[in-house]
Amino acid sequence: MRHVLVVGGGILGLATARELVGRGVAVTLLEKEAGWAAHQTGHNSNVVHAGLYYAPGSFKARMSVAGNKSMVRFAREHGVDVRVCGKLVVATDHSELPALAVLAERAAANGVPAKLVSAEEAREYEPEVACVSALRVESTGIIDFPAVCEALAGLLADAGADLRLSTPVLGIRPGRAGGVEVATGGAVLRADALVNCAGLHSDRIARMAGLDPVARIVPFRGEYYELKPERAHLVRGLIYPVPDASLPFLGVHLTRMLDGSVHAGPNAVLALRREGYRWRDISAADLAETVRFPGTWRLAKKYALPIGLDEVRRSLSKRRFAESLAKLVPAVGEDDIVRSGAGVRAQALLPDGSMVQDFLIETAPNQVHVLNAPSPAATCALEIAKHVADQVSAS
């Protein structure tokens, strides 16, 4: 029986391990933290995306549409809480109507169930929303992604997979008799192949394995507020702005969670540590690595002023954050929101300063490295896992 080592215990590593086990492969899964879904998977907005935004034919587009269905189906089959509630993408000004129309065309091209609605029709879904028109997307949902991970881990344990928490990877080298050898501190593990799903550290694992990956991970922190419980009634489902095509992120939005709370955000600021969930979370080594990378400076030249500065100001000012939300729902004021959690996005950046927009997977003999899998990777996890498992078979 072939043996594969999977590095990373987020949703993508767990899904890939399950896919491999289902194909008759022996799997050892290594996670450096003491629990599953400790970073990106456990700090996102828990949205099951529809595949609305992505270029037709891209990995993201194809896998989002398929992943939306497979993730909802998995949750329902395994008792994980999920609700397909739909969302509104709202144009708050007539100048945004052309971009909203393009988004509707892209939805149609990707096979996403969506329709343009008037301001009056939008308020039938969200009575407090402010818009001149909106795109109603029916297949967007809300889920508990950490619970999905626990379900996956349970299935893996039942199937006999070797699940190792608190097991960081310290070194990787080719095996003497083929395959790979991985040092974990407590042991040297040998396997026929390696799969890297290490998220925020995926480029480092790739370099440890002898690759020179085309992209570098640059961490961006997304900070959230939430509406006070007595103001949660202002939002029934999900309300998103029309994305600015010149910007790399979607902008702050409002999301009603499974427990009835309403999360608002995220913004996007450079994290000062790969796992930097607060401004005071600083790693000199991580920061130096980010600063030394030429792509960081080229990205900064393009976005630092005024966009990056505005994001920093919004990070530091509750009033500015509330003003962004009020563009979508005017009834939201500064006194209506309280700080919530934050997440860090593992964004792959190229040396020319451009962000890798699609999923990025590199292979080498007996190795598969997932080097860019930001949102909507959680939605697509079961579909990405199939693709990665195919790559393992071909490696």
Side-chain angles (χ1 to χ4, degrees), residues 24-367:
V25 176
V27 171
T28 298
L29 178 58
L30 308 179
E31 166 55 46
K32 70 182 181 66
E33 304 294 354
W36 309 116
H39 293 294
Q40 289 188 105
T41 307
H43 291 83
N44 68 29
S45 57
N46 284 311
V47 174
V48 183
H49 291 282
L52 175 69
Y53 301 102
Y54 317 116
S58 66
F59 264 145
K60 280 189 177 182
R62 290 184 286 110
M63 290 189 176
S64 292
V65 174
N68 176 282
K69 296 174 183 177
S70 61
M71 186 56 67
V72 171
R73 184 168 57 249
F74 178 90
R76 289 172 174 167
E77 288 175 353
H78 296 282
V80 175
D81 203 0
V82 63
R83 180 166 63 95
V84 180
C85 54
K87 78 172 181 180
L88 286 178
V89 182
V90 300
T92 58
D93 186 86
H94 285 87
S95 64
E96 296 177 332
L97 291 177
L100 188 67
V102 169
L103 207 58
E105 292 172 0
R106 181 163 284 188
N110 289 342
V112 175
K115 63 178 180 178
L116 288 168
V117 298
S118 67
E120 291 75 18
E121 290 171 319
R123 282 190 284 274
E124 292 178 9
Y125 296 104
E126 294 287 354
E128 299 293 337
V129 76
C131 68
V132 295
S133 183
L135 186 66
R136 173 66 182 177
V137 185
E138 296 296 342
S139 56
T140 302
I142 298 295
I143 198 169
D144 185 344
F145 279 128
V148 171
C149 290
E150 291 298 331
L152 287 167
L155 292 170
L156 285 165
D158 291 343
D162 183 4
L163 306 179
R164 302 194 184 195
L165 294 167
S166 303
T167 308
V169 171
L170 304 179
I172 303 169
R173 69 185 181 190
R176 293 184 178 89
V180 295
E181 295 182 352
V182 175
T184 65
V188 175
L189 306 177
R190 296 170 178 84
D192 298 302
L194 171 78
V195 174
N196 168 14
C197 297
L200 285 159
H201 301 278
S202 58
D203 58 335
R204 290 173 171 170
I205 294 294
R207 290 198 300 274
M208 197 182 293
L211 272 69
D212 183 16
V214 65
R216 182 72 54 84
I217 295 298
V218 175
F220 284 87
R221 183 172 65 254
E223 298 159 324
Y224 289 88
Y225 280 82
E226 64 179 84
L227 298 188
K228 291 180 178 178
E230 62 269 23
R231 301 294 279 170
H233 68 276
L234 295 174
V235 177
R236 292 180 175 180
L238 289 81
I239 305 173
Y240 279 61
V242 175
D244 186 336
S246 67
L247 302 180
F249 302 118
L250 293 178
V252 297
H253 43 271
L254 291 149
T255 304
R256 190 173 189 88
M257 310 301 283
L258 290 167
D259 64 1
S261 64
V262 176
H263 283 208
N267 62 347
V269 296
L270 184 69
L272 306 181
R273 178 181 170 185
R274 293 259 178 142
E275 295 158 6
Y277 298 103
R278 301 163 297 183
W279 277 108
R280 64 178 180 270
D281 293 338
I282 302 172
S283 164
D286 288 357
L287 188 56
E289 189 174 2
T290 296
V291 169
R292 284 197 302 265
F293 182 55
T296 302
W297 293 99
R298 293 175 179 133
L299 179 73
K301 184 177 180 180
K302 184 176 182 181
Y303 291 115
L305 294 174
I307 298 163
L309 183 58
D310 283 345
E311 291 291 329
V312 171
R313 287 171 174 166
R314 186 160 53 192
S315 170
L316 300 174
S317 170
K318 181 181 178 182
R319 176 182 61 80
R320 285 180 179 271
F321 208 107
E323 287 172 353
S324 297
L325 301 174
K327 292 178 181 178
L328 305 175
V329 178
V332 174
E334 182 179 356
D335 292 338
D336 297 323
I337 60 175
V338 293
R339 280 198 178 272
S340 187
V344 179
R345 175 187 177 117
Q347 178 62 55
L349 191 64
L350 297 173
D352 66 2
S354 60
M355 291 185 171
V356 179
Q357 295 300 322
D358 210 349
F359 299 137
L360 176 63
I361 298 172
E362 291 190 18
T363 61
N366 307 313
Q367 299 178 28

